[in-house]
mmCIF file of all heavy atoms in Angstrom:
data_model
loop_
_atom_site.group_PDB
_atom_site.id
_atom_site.type_symbol
_atom_site.label_atom_id
_atom_site.label_comp_id
_atom_site.label_asym_id
_atom_site.label_seq_id
_atom_site.Cartn_x
_atom_site.Cartn_y
_atom_site.Cartn_z
ATOM 1 N N MET A 1 -18.364 57.416 72.687
ATOM 2 C CA MET A 1 -18.848 57.849 71.384
ATOM 3 C C MET A 1 -18.513 59.295 71.132
ATOM 4 O O MET A 1 -18.744 60.160 71.976
ATOM 5 C CB MET A 1 -20.378 57.638 71.364
ATOM 6 C CG MET A 1 -20.930 57.876 69.960
ATOM 7 S SD MET A 1 -22.589 57.167 69.795
ATOM 8 C CE MET A 1 -23.552 58.183 70.934
ATOM 9 N N LYS A 2 -17.996 59.599 69.982
ATOM 10 C CA LYS A 2 -17.674 60.974 69.660
ATOM 11 C C LYS A 2 -18.965 61.750 69.397
ATOM 12 O O LYS A 2 -19.936 61.262 68.910
ATOM 13 C CB LYS A 2 -16.815 61.002 68.409
ATOM 14 C CG LYS A 2 -15.320 60.711 68.738
ATOM 15 C CD LYS A 2 -14.444 61.003 67.515
ATOM 16 C CE LYS A 2 -14.619 59.981 66.456
ATOM 17 N NZ LYS A 2 -13.725 60.223 65.296
ATOM 18 N N GLU A 3 -18.870 63.075 69.649
ATOM 19 C CA GLU A 3 -20.033 63.921 69.458
ATOM 20 C C GLU A 3 -20.281 64.255 67.956
ATOM 21 O O GLU A 3 -21.329 64.699 67.602
ATOM 22 C CB GLU A 3 -19.914 65.217 70.268
ATOM 23 C CG GLU A 3 -20.141 64.959 71.728
ATOM 24 C CD GLU A 3 -20.054 66.269 72.512
ATOM 25 O OE1 GLU A 3 -20.150 67.331 71.894
ATOM 26 O OE2 GLU A 3 -19.906 66.198 73.726
ATOM 27 N N ASN A 4 -19.243 64.016 67.194
ATOM 28 C CA ASN A 4 -19.387 64.403 65.766
ATOM 29 C C ASN A 4 -19.792 63.259 64.886
ATOM 30 O O ASN A 4 -19.592 63.273 63.663
ATOM 31 C CB ASN A 4 -18.031 64.975 65.271
ATOM 32 C CG ASN A 4 -18.090 66.468 65.179
ATOM 33 O OD1 ASN A 4 -19.034 67.129 65.594
ATOM 34 N ND2 ASN A 4 -17.023 67.080 64.677
ATOM 35 N N THR A 5 -20.382 62.240 65.465
ATOM 36 C CA THR A 5 -20.872 61.114 64.690
ATOM 37 C C THR A 5 -22.376 60.944 64.834
ATOM 38 O O THR A 5 -22.939 61.333 65.852
ATOM 39 C CB THR A 5 -20.169 59.780 65.084
ATOM 40 O OG1 THR A 5 -20.395 59.616 66.516
ATOM 41 C CG2 THR A 5 -18.671 59.881 64.821
ATOM 42 N N CYS A 6 -22.948 60.363 63.791
ATOM 43 C CA CYS A 6 -24.391 60.120 63.820
ATOM 44 C C CYS A 6 -24.759 59.141 64.976
ATOM 45 O O CYS A 6 -24.073 58.143 65.201
ATOM 46 C CB CYS A 6 -24.771 59.476 62.478
ATOM 47 S SG CYS A 6 -26.437 58.887 62.410
ATOM 48 N N ALA A 7 -25.807 59.458 65.694
ATOM 49 C CA ALA A 7 -26.268 58.596 66.800
ATOM 50 C C ALA A 7 -26.797 57.281 66.362
ATOM 51 O O ALA A 7 -26.946 56.357 67.137
ATOM 52 C CB ALA A 7 -27.269 59.384 67.683
ATOM 53 N N ALA A 8 -27.162 57.187 65.073
ATOM 54 C CA ALA A 8 -27.787 55.982 64.564
ATOM 55 C C ALA A 8 -26.794 55.075 63.846
ATOM 56 O O ALA A 8 -26.783 53.836 64.061
ATOM 57 C CB ALA A 8 -28.974 56.314 63.655
ATOM 58 N N CYS A 9 -26.004 55.619 62.968
ATOM 59 C CA CYS A 9 -25.132 54.797 62.108
ATOM 60 C C CYS A 9 -23.648 55.049 62.330
ATOM 61 O O CYS A 9 -22.802 54.409 61.741
ATOM 62 C CB CYS A 9 -25.498 54.971 60.669
ATOM 63 S SG CYS A 9 -25.072 56.559 59.979
ATOM 64 N N ASP A 10 -23.283 56.032 63.204
ATOM 65 C CA ASP A 10 -21.887 56.277 63.548
ATOM 66 C C ASP A 10 -21.060 56.870 62.479
ATOM 67 O O ASP A 10 -19.850 56.912 62.569
ATOM 68 C CB ASP A 10 -21.205 54.986 64.060
ATOM 69 C CG ASP A 10 -21.562 54.779 65.541
ATOM 70 O OD1 ASP A 10 -22.102 55.683 66.217
ATOM 71 O OD2 ASP A 10 -21.277 53.660 66.056
ATOM 72 N N CYS A 11 -21.649 57.320 61.365
ATOM 73 C CA CYS A 11 -20.816 57.982 60.383
ATOM 74 C C CYS A 11 -20.687 59.458 60.779
ATOM 75 O O CYS A 11 -21.427 59.970 61.623
ATOM 76 C CB CYS A 11 -21.471 57.888 59.010
ATOM 77 S SG CYS A 11 -23.109 58.516 58.857
ATOM 78 N N GLU A 12 -19.695 60.168 60.151
ATOM 79 C CA GLU A 12 -19.416 61.482 60.555
ATOM 80 C C GLU A 12 -20.521 62.446 60.170
ATOM 81 O O GLU A 12 -21.098 62.323 59.063
ATOM 82 C CB GLU A 12 -18.086 61.942 59.951
ATOM 83 C CG GLU A 12 -16.925 61.424 60.762
ATOM 84 C CD GLU A 12 -15.601 62.083 60.326
ATOM 85 O OE1 GLU A 12 -15.642 63.293 59.952
ATOM 86 O OE2 GLU A 12 -14.582 61.398 60.374
ATOM 87 N N LEU A 13 -20.792 63.405 61.040
ATOM 88 C CA LEU A 13 -21.790 64.417 60.692
ATOM 89 C C LEU A 13 -21.214 65.533 59.911
ATOM 90 O O LEU A 13 -20.091 65.917 60.076
ATOM 91 C CB LEU A 13 -22.328 65.004 62.045
ATOM 92 C CG LEU A 13 -23.085 64.006 62.899
ATOM 93 C CD1 LEU A 13 -23.407 64.706 64.239
ATOM 94 C CD2 LEU A 13 -24.381 63.567 62.284
ATOM 95 N N ASP A 14 -21.997 66.050 58.994
ATOM 96 C CA ASP A 14 -21.607 67.202 58.182
ATOM 97 C C ASP A 14 -22.666 68.278 58.265
ATOM 98 O O ASP A 14 -23.446 68.308 59.236
ATOM 99 C CB ASP A 14 -21.279 66.800 56.724
ATOM 100 C CG ASP A 14 -22.560 66.183 56.037
ATOM 101 O OD1 ASP A 14 -23.679 66.383 56.551
ATOM 102 O OD2 ASP A 14 -22.378 65.488 55.055
ATOM 103 N N ALA A 15 -22.752 69.198 57.317
ATOM 104 C CA ALA A 15 -23.628 70.300 57.415
ATOM 105 C C ALA A 15 -25.085 69.892 57.386
ATOM 106 O O ALA A 15 -26.001 70.703 57.775
ATOM 107 C CB ALA A 15 -23.318 71.297 56.306
ATOM 108 N N THR A 16 -25.341 68.730 56.897
ATOM 109 C CA THR A 16 -26.766 68.298 56.772
ATOM 110 C C THR A 16 -27.290 67.517 57.998
ATOM 111 O O THR A 16 -28.312 66.926 57.969
ATOM 112 C CB THR A 16 -26.931 67.327 55.539
ATOM 113 O OG1 THR A 16 -26.122 66.207 55.763
ATOM 114 C CG2 THR A 16 -26.518 68.037 54.253
ATOM 115 N N ARG A 17 -26.513 67.626 59.081
ATOM 116 C CA ARG A 17 -26.937 66.950 60.333
ATOM 117 C C ARG A 17 -28.299 67.399 60.758
ATOM 118 O O ARG A 17 -28.759 68.475 60.551
ATOM 119 C CB ARG A 17 -25.918 67.223 61.400
ATOM 120 C CG ARG A 17 -25.853 68.679 61.801
ATOM 121 C CD ARG A 17 -24.871 68.924 62.910
ATOM 122 N NE ARG A 17 -23.530 68.570 62.528
ATOM 123 C CZ ARG A 17 -22.483 68.643 63.344
ATOM 124 N NH1 ARG A 17 -22.643 69.068 64.572
ATOM 125 N NH2 ARG A 17 -21.307 68.332 62.957
ATOM 126 N N ILE A 18 -29.019 66.479 61.420
ATOM 127 C CA ILE A 18 -30.346 66.718 61.927
ATOM 128 C C ILE A 18 -30.418 66.461 63.399
ATOM 129 O O ILE A 18 -29.902 65.449 63.861
ATOM 130 C CB ILE A 18 -31.392 65.794 61.220
ATOM 131 C CG1 ILE A 18 -31.338 65.988 59.684
ATOM 132 C CG2 ILE A 18 -32.805 66.061 61.763
ATOM 133 C CD1 ILE A 18 -32.128 64.971 58.924
ATOM 134 N N ALA A 19 -30.982 67.414 64.176
ATOM 135 C CA ALA A 19 -31.109 67.219 65.601
ATOM 136 C C ALA A 19 -32.415 66.503 65.902
ATOM 137 O O ALA A 19 -33.483 66.847 65.400
ATOM 138 C CB ALA A 19 -31.074 68.555 66.283
ATOM 139 N N VAL A 20 -32.356 65.423 66.724
ATOM 140 C CA VAL A 20 -33.554 64.676 67.096
ATOM 141 C C VAL A 20 -33.639 64.577 68.591
ATOM 142 O O VAL A 20 -32.677 64.310 69.281
ATOM 143 C CB VAL A 20 -33.421 63.242 66.496
ATOM 144 C CG1 VAL A 20 -34.757 62.483 66.713
ATOM 145 C CG2 VAL A 20 -33.051 63.235 65.076
ATOM 146 N N LYS A 21 -34.820 64.846 69.102
ATOM 147 C CA LYS A 21 -35.036 64.740 70.566
ATOM 148 C C LYS A 21 -35.431 63.321 70.879
ATOM 149 O O LYS A 21 -36.446 62.841 70.424
ATOM 150 C CB LYS A 21 -36.139 65.701 70.990
ATOM 151 C CG LYS A 21 -35.573 67.061 71.292
ATOM 152 C CD LYS A 21 -36.463 67.836 72.342
ATOM 153 C CE LYS A 21 -35.779 69.073 72.836
ATOM 154 N NZ LYS A 21 -36.585 69.754 73.844
ATOM 155 N N ILE A 22 -34.632 62.659 71.710
ATOM 156 C CA ILE A 22 -34.917 61.308 72.109
ATOM 157 C C ILE A 22 -34.958 61.262 73.629
ATOM 158 O O ILE A 22 -33.957 61.443 74.267
ATOM 159 C CB ILE A 22 -33.821 60.370 71.567
ATOM 160 C CG1 ILE A 22 -33.800 60.348 70.075
ATOM 161 C CG2 ILE A 22 -34.063 58.947 72.098
ATOM 162 C CD1 ILE A 22 -35.006 59.774 69.402
ATOM 163 N N GLY A 23 -36.120 60.888 74.161
ATOM 164 C CA GLY A 23 -36.228 60.722 75.612
ATOM 165 C C GLY A 23 -35.720 61.924 76.402
ATOM 166 O O GLY A 23 -35.145 61.807 77.453
ATOM 167 N N GLY A 24 -36.051 63.145 75.899
ATOM 168 C CA GLY A 24 -35.665 64.384 76.659
ATOM 169 C C GLY A 24 -34.304 64.930 76.372
ATOM 170 O O GLY A 24 -33.992 66.003 76.816
ATOM 171 N N ARG A 25 -33.489 64.187 75.610
ATOM 172 C CA ARG A 25 -32.236 64.775 75.244
ATOM 173 C C ARG A 25 -32.100 64.835 73.739
ATOM 174 O O ARG A 25 -32.781 64.076 73.018
ATOM 175 C CB ARG A 25 -31.071 64.018 75.876
ATOM 176 C CG ARG A 25 -30.841 62.617 75.350
ATOM 177 C CD ARG A 25 -29.938 61.837 76.242
ATOM 178 N NE ARG A 25 -29.402 60.713 75.514
ATOM 179 C CZ ARG A 25 -28.195 60.606 75.020
ATOM 180 N NH1 ARG A 25 -27.368 61.657 75.122
ATOM 181 N NH2 ARG A 25 -27.802 59.572 74.317
ATOM 182 N N THR A 26 -31.214 65.733 73.275
ATOM 183 C CA THR A 26 -31.096 65.911 71.830
ATOM 184 C C THR A 26 -29.877 65.213 71.284
ATOM 185 O O THR A 26 -28.761 65.378 71.838
ATOM 186 C CB THR A 26 -30.997 67.434 71.497
ATOM 187 O OG1 THR A 26 -32.182 68.071 72.033
ATOM 188 C CG2 THR A 26 -30.928 67.686 70.011
ATOM 189 N N VAL A 27 -30.014 64.449 70.262
ATOM 190 C CA VAL A 27 -28.889 63.793 69.582
ATOM 191 C C VAL A 27 -28.896 64.222 68.135
ATOM 192 O O VAL A 27 -29.866 64.733 67.621
ATOM 193 C CB VAL A 27 -28.960 62.272 69.696
ATOM 194 C CG1 VAL A 27 -28.908 61.825 71.144
ATOM 195 C CG2 VAL A 27 -30.227 61.743 69.045
ATOM 196 N N GLU A 28 -27.745 64.063 67.483
ATOM 197 C CA GLU A 28 -27.645 64.459 66.102
ATOM 198 C C GLU A 28 -27.412 63.295 65.202
ATOM 199 O O GLU A 28 -26.656 62.391 65.532
ATOM 200 C CB GLU A 28 -26.520 65.505 65.928
ATOM 201 C CG GLU A 28 -26.943 66.823 66.543
ATOM 202 C CD GLU A 28 -25.835 67.869 66.347
ATOM 203 O OE1 GLU A 28 -24.672 67.544 66.507
ATOM 204 O OE2 GLU A 28 -26.196 69.002 65.963
ATOM 205 N N VAL A 29 -28.118 63.273 64.040
ATOM 206 C CA VAL A 29 -27.944 62.208 63.080
ATOM 207 C C VAL A 29 -27.585 62.740 61.736
ATOM 208 O O VAL A 29 -27.709 64.005 61.512
ATOM 209 C CB VAL A 29 -29.258 61.352 62.970
ATOM 210 C CG1 VAL A 29 -29.529 60.665 64.314
ATOM 211 C CG2 VAL A 29 -30.443 62.238 62.607
ATOM 212 N N CYS A 30 -27.143 61.905 60.854
ATOM 213 C CA CYS A 30 -26.580 62.385 59.530
ATOM 214 C C CYS A 30 -27.703 62.661 58.509
ATOM 215 O O CYS A 30 -27.478 63.337 57.542
ATOM 216 C CB CYS A 30 -25.586 61.382 59.034
ATOM 217 S SG CYS A 30 -26.305 59.766 58.629
ATOM 218 N N CYS A 31 -28.840 62.009 58.671
ATOM 219 C CA CYS A 31 -29.852 62.139 57.620
ATOM 220 C C CYS A 31 -31.193 61.771 58.153
ATOM 221 O O CYS A 31 -31.345 61.261 59.306
ATOM 222 C CB CYS A 31 -29.499 61.168 56.469
ATOM 223 S SG CYS A 31 -29.539 59.432 56.943
ATOM 224 N N GLU A 32 -32.251 62.107 57.427
ATOM 225 C CA GLU A 32 -33.627 61.884 57.878
ATOM 226 C C GLU A 32 -33.903 60.396 58.140
ATOM 227 O O GLU A 32 -34.651 60.037 59.047
ATOM 228 C CB GLU A 32 -34.601 62.435 56.790
ATOM 229 C CG GLU A 32 -36.048 62.340 57.219
ATOM 230 C CD GLU A 32 -36.355 63.171 58.487
ATOM 231 O OE1 GLU A 32 -35.707 64.213 58.684
ATOM 232 O OE2 GLU A 32 -37.246 62.735 59.255
ATOM 233 N N GLU A 33 -33.251 59.519 57.341
ATOM 234 C CA GLU A 33 -33.451 58.105 57.550
ATOM 235 C C GLU A 33 -33.029 57.670 58.957
ATOM 236 O O GLU A 33 -33.660 56.870 59.644
ATOM 237 C CB GLU A 33 -32.661 57.341 56.508
ATOM 238 C CG GLU A 33 -33.503 56.831 55.372
ATOM 239 C CD GLU A 33 -32.647 56.016 54.402
ATOM 240 O OE1 GLU A 33 -31.978 55.089 54.799
ATOM 241 O OE2 GLU A 33 -32.701 56.373 53.197
ATOM 242 N N CYS A 34 -31.853 58.178 59.377
ATOM 243 C CA CYS A 34 -31.332 57.874 60.711
ATOM 244 C C CYS A 34 -32.239 58.517 61.752
ATOM 245 O O CYS A 34 -32.429 57.892 62.821
ATOM 246 C CB CYS A 34 -29.920 58.402 60.861
ATOM 247 S SG CYS A 34 -28.738 57.353 59.933
ATOM 248 N N ALA A 35 -32.787 59.694 61.540
ATOM 249 C CA ALA A 35 -33.705 60.316 62.470
ATOM 250 C C ALA A 35 -34.945 59.441 62.702
ATOM 251 O O ALA A 35 -35.350 59.204 63.847
ATOM 252 C CB ALA A 35 -34.089 61.696 62.000
ATOM 253 N N VAL A 36 -35.459 58.909 61.619
ATOM 254 C CA VAL A 36 -36.636 58.042 61.698
ATOM 255 C C VAL A 36 -36.287 56.755 62.436
ATOM 256 O O VAL A 36 -37.027 56.291 63.324
ATOM 257 C CB VAL A 36 -37.219 57.718 60.297
ATOM 258 C CG1 VAL A 36 -38.216 56.640 60.372
ATOM 259 C CG2 VAL A 36 -37.779 58.997 59.685
ATOM 260 N N ALA A 37 -35.150 56.197 62.148
ATOM 261 C CA ALA A 37 -34.692 54.913 62.754
ATOM 262 C C ALA A 37 -34.568 55.203 64.289
ATOM 263 O O ALA A 37 -34.965 54.294 65.092
ATOM 264 C CB ALA A 37 -33.394 54.475 62.187
ATOM 265 N N LEU A 38 -33.986 56.280 64.666
ATOM 266 C CA LEU A 38 -33.817 56.554 66.102
ATOM 267 C C LEU A 38 -35.168 56.737 66.799
ATOM 268 O O LEU A 38 -35.377 56.231 67.932
ATOM 269 C CB LEU A 38 -33.002 57.838 66.304
ATOM 270 C CG LEU A 38 -31.505 57.685 66.482
ATOM 271 C CD1 LEU A 38 -30.935 59.007 66.995
ATOM 272 C CD2 LEU A 38 -31.157 56.569 67.451
ATOM 273 N N ARG A 39 -36.053 57.420 66.196
ATOM 274 C CA ARG A 39 -37.383 57.650 66.786
ATOM 275 C C ARG A 39 -38.116 56.308 66.920
ATOM 276 O O ARG A 39 -38.768 56.090 67.944
ATOM 277 C CB ARG A 39 -38.226 58.597 65.897
ATOM 278 C CG ARG A 39 -37.717 60.100 65.946
ATOM 279 C CD ARG A 39 -38.794 60.978 65.466
ATOM 280 N NE ARG A 39 -38.248 62.307 65.106
ATOM 281 C CZ ARG A 39 -37.937 62.685 63.850
ATOM 282 N NH1 ARG A 39 -38.163 61.872 62.852
ATOM 283 N NH2 ARG A 39 -37.468 63.920 63.679
ATOM 284 N N GLU A 40 -37.997 55.434 65.928
ATOM 285 C CA GLU A 40 -38.667 54.183 65.988
ATOM 286 C C GLU A 40 -38.056 53.310 67.100
ATOM 287 O O GLU A 40 -38.704 52.621 67.822
ATOM 288 C CB GLU A 40 -38.594 53.465 64.635
ATOM 289 C CG GLU A 40 -39.531 54.084 63.637
ATOM 290 C CD GLU A 40 -39.448 53.362 62.298
ATOM 291 O OE1 GLU A 40 -38.569 52.501 62.133
ATOM 292 O OE2 GLU A 40 -40.242 53.684 61.430
ATOM 293 N N ALA A 41 -36.708 53.360 67.228
ATOM 294 C CA ALA A 41 -36.033 52.558 68.237
ATOM 295 C C ALA A 41 -36.478 53.063 69.622
ATOM 296 O O ALA A 41 -36.689 52.285 70.561
ATOM 297 C CB ALA A 41 -34.530 52.739 68.055
ATOM 298 N N GLU A 42 -36.562 54.378 69.785
ATOM 299 C CA GLU A 42 -36.962 54.935 71.069
ATOM 300 C C GLU A 42 -38.424 54.575 71.415
ATOM 301 O O GLU A 42 -38.738 54.216 72.532
ATOM 302 C CB GLU A 42 -36.774 56.442 71.071
ATOM 303 C CG GLU A 42 -36.751 57.069 72.455
ATOM 304 C CD GLU A 42 -37.981 57.835 72.798
ATOM 305 O OE1 GLU A 42 -38.800 58.098 71.846
ATOM 306 O OE2 GLU A 42 -38.119 58.200 73.915
ATOM 307 N N ALA A 43 -39.292 54.609 70.416
ATOM 308 C CA ALA A 43 -40.694 54.240 70.660
ATOM 309 C C ALA A 43 -40.798 52.807 71.003
ATOM 310 O O ALA A 43 -41.576 52.446 71.864
ATOM 311 C CB ALA A 43 -41.485 54.546 69.349
ATOM 312 N N ALA A 44 -39.985 51.913 70.413
ATOM 313 C CA ALA A 44 -39.974 50.507 70.660
ATOM 314 C C ALA A 44 -39.529 50.251 72.114
ATOM 315 O O ALA A 44 -40.062 49.523 72.851
ATOM 316 C CB ALA A 44 -39.136 49.751 69.707
ATOM 317 N N THR A 45 -38.477 51.006 72.499
ATOM 318 C CA THR A 45 -37.969 50.865 73.876
ATOM 319 C C THR A 45 -39.005 51.309 74.888
ATOM 320 O O THR A 45 -39.193 50.616 75.885
ATOM 321 C CB THR A 45 -36.680 51.735 74.034
ATOM 322 O OG1 THR A 45 -35.764 51.374 73.076
ATOM 323 C CG2 THR A 45 -36.103 51.598 75.437
ATOM 324 N N ARG A 46 -39.642 52.343 74.621
ATOM 325 C CA ARG A 46 -40.674 52.860 75.529
ATOM 326 C C ARG A 46 -41.821 51.846 75.624
ATOM 327 O O ARG A 46 -42.431 51.629 76.724
ATOM 328 C CB ARG A 46 -41.160 54.259 75.045
ATOM 329 C CG ARG A 46 -41.985 54.908 76.115
ATOM 330 C CD ARG A 46 -42.468 56.276 75.589
ATOM 331 N NE ARG A 46 -41.318 57.199 75.359
ATOM 332 C CZ ARG A 46 -41.493 58.313 74.666
ATOM 333 N NH1 ARG A 46 -42.583 58.661 74.134
ATOM 334 N NH2 ARG A 46 -40.426 59.144 74.534
ATOM 335 N N ALA A 47 -42.198 51.256 74.489
ATOM 336 C CA ALA A 47 -43.306 50.324 74.468
ATOM 337 C C ALA A 47 -42.948 49.081 75.362
ATOM 338 O O ALA A 47 -43.752 48.578 76.119
ATOM 339 C CB ALA A 47 -43.584 49.880 73.065
ATOM 340 N N VAL A 48 -41.667 48.631 75.235
ATOM 341 C CA VAL A 48 -41.251 47.492 76.048
ATOM 342 C C VAL A 48 -41.291 47.875 77.542
ATOM 343 O O VAL A 48 -41.769 47.074 78.372
ATOM 344 C CB VAL A 48 -39.824 47.086 75.630
ATOM 345 C CG1 VAL A 48 -39.216 46.100 76.646
ATOM 346 C CG2 VAL A 48 -39.823 46.461 74.261
ATOM 347 N N GLN A 49 -40.785 49.032 77.901
ATOM 348 C CA GLN A 49 -40.770 49.462 79.269
ATOM 349 C C GLN A 49 -42.206 49.529 79.893
ATOM 350 O O GLN A 49 -42.472 49.180 80.955
ATOM 351 C CB GLN A 49 -40.037 50.810 79.453
ATOM 352 C CG GLN A 49 -38.542 50.677 79.251
ATOM 353 C CD GLN A 49 -37.841 52.002 79.173
ATOM 354 O OE1 GLN A 49 -38.490 53.051 79.001
ATOM 355 N NE2 GLN A 49 -36.558 52.009 79.302
ATOM 356 N N THR A 50 -43.129 50.055 79.061
ATOM 357 C CA THR A 50 -44.476 50.199 79.494
ATOM 358 C C THR A 50 -45.124 48.787 79.710
ATOM 359 O O THR A 50 -45.819 48.615 80.671
ATOM 360 C CB THR A 50 -45.318 50.987 78.419
ATOM 361 O OG1 THR A 50 -44.706 52.244 78.209
ATOM 362 C CG2 THR A 50 -46.739 51.238 78.927
ATOM 363 N N ALA A 51 -44.816 47.904 78.760
ATOM 364 C CA ALA A 51 -45.393 46.561 78.892
ATOM 365 C C ALA A 51 -44.805 45.791 80.065
ATOM 366 O O ALA A 51 -45.432 44.902 80.588
ATOM 367 C CB ALA A 51 -45.097 45.803 77.608
ATOM 368 N N ASP A 52 -43.624 46.226 80.500
ATOM 369 C CA ASP A 52 -42.921 45.561 81.584
ATOM 370 C C ASP A 52 -43.511 45.821 82.946
ATOM 371 O O ASP A 52 -43.323 45.105 83.883
ATOM 372 C CB ASP A 52 -41.437 45.983 81.530
ATOM 373 C CG ASP A 52 -40.523 44.854 82.026
ATOM 374 O OD1 ASP A 52 -40.973 43.687 81.903
ATOM 375 O OD2 ASP A 52 -39.451 45.179 82.553
ATOM 376 N N LYS A 53 -44.279 46.974 83.087
ATOM 377 C CA LYS A 53 -44.742 47.381 84.379
ATOM 378 C C LYS A 53 -45.986 46.605 84.788
ATOM 379 O O LYS A 53 -46.753 46.202 83.890
ATOM 380 C CB LYS A 53 -45.079 48.877 84.332
ATOM 381 C CG LYS A 53 -43.791 49.702 84.485
ATOM 382 C CD LYS A 53 -44.108 51.177 84.581
ATOM 383 C CE LYS A 53 -42.754 51.954 84.751
ATOM 384 N NZ LYS A 53 -43.044 53.411 84.720
HETATM 385 ZN ZN1 ZN B 101 -26.679 58.195 60.239
#
């Protein structure tokens, strides 16, 4: 994956990029919608892992 693409939708990042902390590392997304989607995906993943224990 290229570093210059959105972590959620894979479109190219421009000046409006947003940094989002996911699981201790920072990724960049193209817009607030993608930031929210990533946070929700991470929260869902964490919930599954917690339920798995
Ligand atoms: Zn995006």
Side-chain angles (χ1 to χ4, degrees):
M1 187 164 66
K2 280 191 288 183
E3 285 182 17
N4 258 6
T5 56
C6 171
C9 72
D10 280 346
C11 59
E12 280 192 35
L13 295 172
D14 58 21
T16 62
R17 65 179 61 183
I18 301 169
V20 187
K21 274 206 168 182
I22 299 293
R25 67 194 199 102
T26 303
V27 297
E28 288 182 317
V29 294
C30 64
C31 62
E32 185 61 33
E33 261 182 52
C34 286
V36 171
L38 266 194
R39 289 196 196 100
E40 285 181 354
E42 199 251 350
T45 302
R46 193 180 294 166
V48 168
Q49 287 171 346
T50 304
D52 210 27
K53 281 186 180 174

